[in-house]
Structures are given as C-alpha cells and as structure tokens.
Amino acid sequence: MRRLLLFVPLLLTLLLLGCDKDKDKNENPTLTEKDKILINYPWRMSTVTDLANKDIPVNQLNAQTKAIKEEMDIQFLQNNVTKAIDQDSKQVINGGTWYLMNDNKVLDIKISGFSGEFGVEELTNSKLRLKSKMPVDGVEQETIMVFQPVIK
C-alpha cells in the first residue's frame, strides 16, 4: 500500500506534464508567409477591375462595394479575426473571421456585408487582389477587388 502511495504523485506529475505539452502546441498556430503578409497592416480597396484589368467606375458598383472602397479599411489579425475599420475615425465598424484556404488560393471572409470565399489572385506586401462575383451596373459579373496596404 505504501509503494502505491509513492507512485500516485509520480503518475499525477507525469500526467500534468503531458497535458501542458498539448496545450502549448494549440496556442501557437504556425503562420504561413501569406498569413504574415495579410496581417502586417490594414488593407484599403483602391479599385475594382474587370478580368481584363480595366477599372470599373465607382458609379457602376453597388452600395456595399462603394462603402468598402470609400469608408473602410480591412484589418486581418493573427487569431483569424478580421475587422472593418472606419477610414476617418479609426473606429471598428464591423468584425468577423478570415481563413486562407486551398494552398493560399482562397480567402474565406465572414463579416456582415462582406462575406464569401474570394479567389486570391495576388497577395504581396504591396497588393492584395481578390476575385469575386458582384453586381456591376446591375449585372452580376466576375471582378477583381484591388487592395493596397495602409501604411501608418
């Protein structure tokens, strides 16, 4: 009985050490290079183009896209949280989640008013280009939303 009492604290210690190792692995997710680029700074929509890279005039975009372009910056955070930030006041307008998927070819964004899976055409330190279908002059078509980093 005495030997059994000596082994119980040893077993509990080993069990606790094993639990701590699993906890550390889950708290520090590995970021890819593309994740790091995305979270470096907020992004501001500079233009919307057609697939031939021709700019689409702002007056042909729907109200939702105009609001994103003229009023919001999009901030991607390390914990897969994204925020829409007012360009003037810097206040958070909206929030949600983001995930890069399919070998960084798709950006899944879930924010009220700006949700969906967007094709990642380009993601560099100087430009983010997302492919999407949206109404242009009342007709649904494939477009490219072009974002520039907001460097403070």
Side-chain angles (χ1 to χ4, degrees):
M1 181 71 166
R2 202 172 239 205
R3 287 185 189 170
L4 183 61
L5 290 176
L6 291 174
F7 285 113
V8 169
L10 180 62
L11 288 173
L12 285 174
T13 303
L14 289 174
L15 181 65
L16 289 174
L17 288 174
C19 291
D20 280 346
K21 287 179 185 175
D22 290 338
K23 183 179 172 188
D24 290 342
K25 288 179 189 174
N26 292 334
E27 285 182 6
N28 299 321
T30 305
L31 295 175
T32 67
E33 287 304 312
K34 296 295 183 180
D35 290 333
K36 291 175 185 176
I37 291 170
L38 201 58
I39 64 176
N40 274 340
Y41 20 66
W43 294 87
R44 182 172 294 165
M45 185 185 293
S46 59
T47 189
V48 177
T49 69
D50 60 17
L51 296 183
N53 288 327
K54 182 181 173 197
D55 284 359
I56 297 171
V58 175
N59 65 346
Q60 292 183 0
L61 301 174
N62 65 5
Q64 180 182 36
T65 306
K66 283 181 192 177
I68 294 168
K69 181 178 181 339
E70 298 172 350
E71 300 173 18
M72 297 178 206
D73 293 335
I74 308 296
Q75 175 72 61
F76 300 94
L77 302 174
Q78 186 171 344
N79 58 356
N80 293 100
V81 169
T82 187
K83 297 178 181 180
I85 302 168
D86 183 271
Q87 291 177 2
D88 296 325
S89 70
K90 306 299 182 208
Q91 297 295 312
V92 175
I93 301 169
N94 207 343
T97 60
W98 69 274
Y99 296 94
L100 271 173
M101 306 181 317
N102 299 345
D103 294 326
N104 300 322
K105 294 178 184 160
V106 175
L107 179 58
D108 183 17
I109 300 174
K110 300 272 191 286
I111 293 180
S112 177
F114 186 66
S115 291
E117 292 184 359
F118 303 92
V120 178
E121 297 292 308
E122 180 179 353
L123 176 53
T124 64
N125 283 315
S126 61
K127 190 179 286 186
L128 169 62
R129 296 177 64 235
L130 299 176
K131 186 175 185 179
S132 169
K133 281 190 175 186
M134 68 175 62
V136 176
D137 214 13
V139 178
E140 190 86 7
Q141 75 177 52
E142 295 249 330
T143 60
I144 305 289
M145 296 178 291
V146 181
F147 293 82
Q148 304 292 329
V150 177
I151 300 174
K152 300 171 187 176

